[in-house]
Amino acid sequence: MRVLIIGSGGREHALAWAVAASPLLTELFIAPGNPGTAAFAQNVPLRGTDIAGLVAFAVERKIDLVIPGPEAPLVAGIADALAAAGIACCGPSAAAAQLEGSKEFTKEIADAAGIPTAAWASFTQAEAAHEYIEATGAPIVIKADGLAAGKGVVVAATLDEAHEALTAIMEDKVHGAAGAKVVIEQCLEGEEISVFALCDGQDALYLGVAADHKRVGDGDTGPNTGGMGAISPPPWAPPAIIEAAMSRIIRPALAEMAKRGMPFRGFLFAGLMLEPDGPKLIEFNVRFGDPECETLLPLLESDLLPALAAAANGALKGAELRWKTSASATVVLCAKGYPGAYATGGEILGLEQAAALPGVQLFHAGTMAAEGGILANGGRVLAVNALGADLEQAVARAYAAVDTIDWDDGFCRRDIGRRAIFAAALAKG
Ligand code: AMP
Ligand code: GLY
């Protein structure tokens, strides 16, 4: 098979690494890729938003399967454009990508399918939205309806914060057109988990569960980020929780999407809150998570490529994947200043030594190659993954690798997996 992956981050490096191990693979392209993927795949200088350029490349190179990493090309219709050119794509149509592109759409699907989720209302008029939160009270969650680079959600502890968020989104238009509509939700409480499934329009194949660490600082402090680290499996997500997530949330969503004539294909990422009466849907994303992808794929024992092809071709029924019983932890190395302004260009040393440590995989996220060396070139720069017999070992191995890397401008959270290790110890007694 000739495969094209779209994207340039740690998630795409991990997808490429897994696909590269497949005996079915004949040629692997990645657009635009990064220095990590250049070591074993052909980087192609095309951006994810250049839909016409990507389709033309796929046609010219006779690509058998396209695997988009991020949501932007999907929301922009890459799967539809590839379908029109007769090329299989492991990702949803633009219509089905509304599951990430519009929070209101997701809430409507959830209600129609009987999926447990927070009570909600949507507004296009600021005045009505302000009145609604006065009536409901705080805490309350305010969301820009559209894509806002992961910054469109405010969990407001007080009514003042909630009014402020509404003013910023609806009147000051800080997220532009993405905030023309807001969704206001009841605040859920509990542990958060991310459950992943591979979907073919009808069937869903479980891909694993992870816990992300979204805040920039130790102890879950500071602003939200794209994800500072992840672990799998979180001890608060036993098999019964996964069963419930698949049967009450993911499969009903697939059935509802199919019923509406927009069958969902590709990676489905369900962000869930574990409340006492079971998992509740916070949001769907129409892609693998980052750094969850770098955390889950090293656990995979089976060949990933035939499963992705089956998902793209509506043929997942009966497919199975085997997984290692290890625990997995990923620590993301970031440029100082992230998620705010940060410097680029600093040299990163010690990558080979780090990658050679037991159980470790390094995935490039925001790097560039220069004169034989690797320089920082982004906010999230490296995803350092390690497997271990248990979470404690996985985390210790990931930090041993982090400490082998020499990069003056970098930082990471020092507490990835700490709460999970504590919870696992408590559960053991
Ligand atoms: P999202 O961008 O939808 O992933 O939301 C970002 C984060 O906001 C989530 O990961 C949750 O931590 C939080 N969040 C979103 N919706 C709710 C909710 N209804 N109740 C509590 N927290 C929420
Ligand atoms: N790590 C969260 C995400 O990929 O959205």
Side-chain angles (χ1 to χ4, degrees):
M1 285 182 72
R2 300 162 62 79
V3 175
L4 169 65
I5 294 175
I6 300 171
S8 64
R11 165 182 50 211
E12 290 77 23
H13 185 174
L15 284 166
W17 169 77
V19 166
S22 173
L24 298 179
L25 184 75
T26 49
E27 217 168 356
L28 179 58
F29 299 95
I30 176 159
N34 64 38
T37 62
F40 60 90
Q42 295 180 58
N43 287 0
V44 181
L46 287 170
R47 308 217 135 264
T49 43
D50 180 5
I51 305 295
L54 290 163
V55 174
F57 179 86
V59 169
E60 189 199 324
R61 296 304 183 102
K62 300 191 166 56
I63 298 296
D64 298 301
L65 178 67
V66 176
I67 307 164
E71 67 279 12
L74 295 165
V75 172
I78 184 106
D80 309 81
L82 287 166
I87 296 171
C89 175
C90 184
S93 64
Q98 288 179 86
L99 276 182
E100 176 157 0
S102 165
K103 310 249 185 232
E104 183 186 47
F105 177 83
T106 301
K107 296 301 270 188
E108 282 170 3
I109 294 290
D111 285 355
I115 292 170
T117 189
W120 65 287
S122 70
F123 297 91
T124 51
Q125 301 295 326
E127 198 179 329
H130 285 289
E131 276 170 22
Y132 177 81
I133 62 173
E134 276 302 320
T136 51
I140 192 145
V141 182
I142 313 287
K143 302 183 171 184
D145 178 63
L147 289 181
K151 298 192 174 97
V153 176
V154 175
V155 181
T158 64
L159 273 181
D160 280 352
E161 275 176 57
H163 284 299
E164 213 175 284
L166 281 177
T167 303
I169 298 172
M170 301 191 85
E171 291 156 61
D172 303 340
K173 302 190 169 42
V174 293
H175 304 304
K181 190 181 277 172
V182 295
V183 170
I184 302 182
E185 284 182 20
Q186 165 205 9
C187 191
L188 300 173
E189 270 165 52
E191 287 289 358
E192 263 185 84
I193 56 169
S194 306
V195 172
F196 296 87
L198 185 60
C199 306
D200 74 350
Q202 302 292 330
D203 291 302
L205 185 61
Y206 173 62
L207 285 181
V209 59
D212 194 4
H213 296 61
K214 288 186 198 228
R215 302 294 193 114
V216 75
D218 285 12
D220 295 319
T221 54
N224 263 323
T225 69
M228 299 295 293
I231 52 112
S232 180
W236 45 81
I241 294 284
I242 303 305
E243 292 282 309
M246 294 300 291
S247 65
R248 293 187 211 160
I249 295 174
I250 289 180
R251 292 204 168 93
L254 279 191
E256 182 64 28
M257 293 294 284
K259 195 169 116 192
R260 293 185 182 211
M262 40 180 105
F264 186 91
R265 293 207 173 89
F267 298 106
L268 188 59
F269 168 162
L272 308 179
M273 190 74 86
L274 300 182
E275 291 212 311
D277 55 345
K280 301 244 166 92
L281 177 68
I282 298 173
E283 59 159 357
F284 281 126
N285 295 305
V286 300
R287 52 179 173 78
F288 223 136
D290 186 350
E292 292 91 332
C293 180
E294 298 95 301
T295 308
L296 294 177
L297 288 185
L299 290 167
L300 184 61
E301 238 168 37
S302 308
D303 187 355
L304 180 64
L305 186 51
L308 300 186
N313 295 315
L316 262 187
K317 200 176 179 61
E320 276 179 35
L321 292 172
R322 276 172 295 107
W323 299 88
K324 297 177 182 153
T325 54
S326 316
S328 180
T330 302
V331 177
V332 179
L333 266 172
C334 300
K336 281 177 193 158
Y338 175 80
Y342 52 80
T344 59
E347 188 167 17
I348 307 171
L349 300 169
L351 292 176
E352 275 173 30
Q353 293 88 325
L357 293 174
V360 170
Q361 281 299 327
L362 292 191
F363 299 110
H364 288 236
T367 63
M368 64 181 179
E371 289 166 24
I374 294 292
L375 309 183
N377 189 37
R380 292 193 294 172
V381 171
L382 288 164
V384 180
N385 174 264
L387 301 185
D390 55 20
L391 267 180
E392 202 165 354
Q393 186 180 45
V395 167
R397 286 174 160 185
Y399 279 114
V402 163
D403 292 336
T404 304
I405 296 170
D406 182 6
W407 172 34
D408 288 346
D409 305 328
F411 80 99
C412 64
R413 271 182 67 161
R414 280 281 155 189
D415 66 341
I416 301 303
R418 188 176 293 166
R419 279 192 328 106
I421 290 168
F422 185 66
L426 274 184
K428 255 193 193 163

